[in-house]
Amino acid sequence: MISTEEQKVYDILNELKIKYIRYEHKAVYTVEEADKLEIDIKGKCCKNLFLRNRKGNIHYLVILEETKRADLKFLSKQINSTQLSFASEERLFKHLGVKPGSVTPFGIINDKESSVIILIDKDLVGKHFINFHPNVNTATIGVLYEDFERFIKWHKNKFVYVES
């Protein structure tokens, strides 16, 4: 059954005429768990990290290829930020409306002020299909990269390309 939070994502994608492929699966909380699913997901799967600066007044959603590790020191230098660290579960829910294991760029639909800054791994740019959870970790959806960027621009969140 599709939850209200998941349906909100599909409603917006449909409104924007963004096509997607939906894959339903058991709940997964990590990239490692997702890799064990016996599903042939087309395109690149992504790792999503919700971070904050030292003061906690700026929040970032980092989107990486699933096989990469985030170097937070290198990342903070690229974006001229103070030290970065993982944001709390409470901050995650406040800004993106999702729980750990469900972190996704589609959570920005709950970012009323469009204040979360999206940091996109340069190696994802131009990939055909990229995949994310639709605000729940019991499904994955794939969209064309160009449509993904269009979604972010539609919501008016700032986004920056970074090296990882």
Side-chain angles (χ1 to χ4, degrees), residues 118-143:
I118 314 293
L119 305 178
I120 303 171
D121 178 0
K122 285 181 180 177
D123 290 341
L124 288 173
V125 176
K127 297 294 182 196
H128 193 58
F129 270 98
I130 54 176
N131 296 279
F132 306 100
H133 290 311
N135 288 353
V136 295
N137 64 353
T138 54
T140 297
I141 59 173
V143 296

Side-chain angles (χ1 to χ4, degrees), residues 4 22 57 75 100 139 146:
T4 304
R22 181 178 185 269
N57 62 340
L75 202 52
E146 296 78 22

Side-chain angles (χ1 to χ4, degrees), residues 5 8 12 94-97 107-116 155-157:
E5 284 305 307
K8 281 175 31 180
I12 290 168
K94 176 184 175 187
H95 292 279
L96 297 182
I108 65 173
I109 63 176
N110 298 308
D111 179 16
K112 303 292 184 218
E113 298 171 8
S114 299
S115 63
V116 174
H155 198 270
K156 297 182 174 45
N157 285 72

Side-chain angles (χ1 to χ4, degrees), residues 64-124:
L64 306 168
E65 283 193 25
E66 69 176 339
T67 58
K68 293 190 175 184
R69 295 183 61 99
D71 180 338
L72 300 187
K73 285 184 181 181
F74 180 55
L75 202 52
S76 67
K77 285 180 184 175
Q78 288 182 70
I79 60 172
N80 295 318
S81 173
T82 57
Q83 180 181 4
L84 296 173
S85 61
F86 288 92
S88 68
E89 186 174 332
E90 292 78 19
R91 285 175 187 265
L92 173 63
F93 192 78
K94 176 184 175 187
H95 292 279
L96 297 182
V98 298
K99 296 178 180 175
S102 301
V103 180
T104 172
F106 294 119
I108 65 173
I109 63 176
N110 298 308
D111 179 16
K112 303 292 184 218
E113 298 171 8
S114 299
S115 63
V116 174
I117 300 169
I118 314 293
L119 305 178
I120 303 171
D121 178 0
K122 285 181 180 177
D123 290 341
L124 288 173

Side-chain angles (χ1 to χ4, degrees), residues 19-21 23 41-46 124 126-132 141-147:
K19 293 180 182 173
Y20 57 89
I21 299 172
Y23 305 90
I41 296 178
K42 181 180 179 180
K44 280 283 181 194
C45 289
C46 299
L124 288 173
K127 297 294 182 196
H128 193 58
F129 270 98
I130 54 176
N131 296 279
F132 306 100
I141 59 173
V143 296
L144 291 171
Y145 179 83
E146 296 78 22
D147 287 337

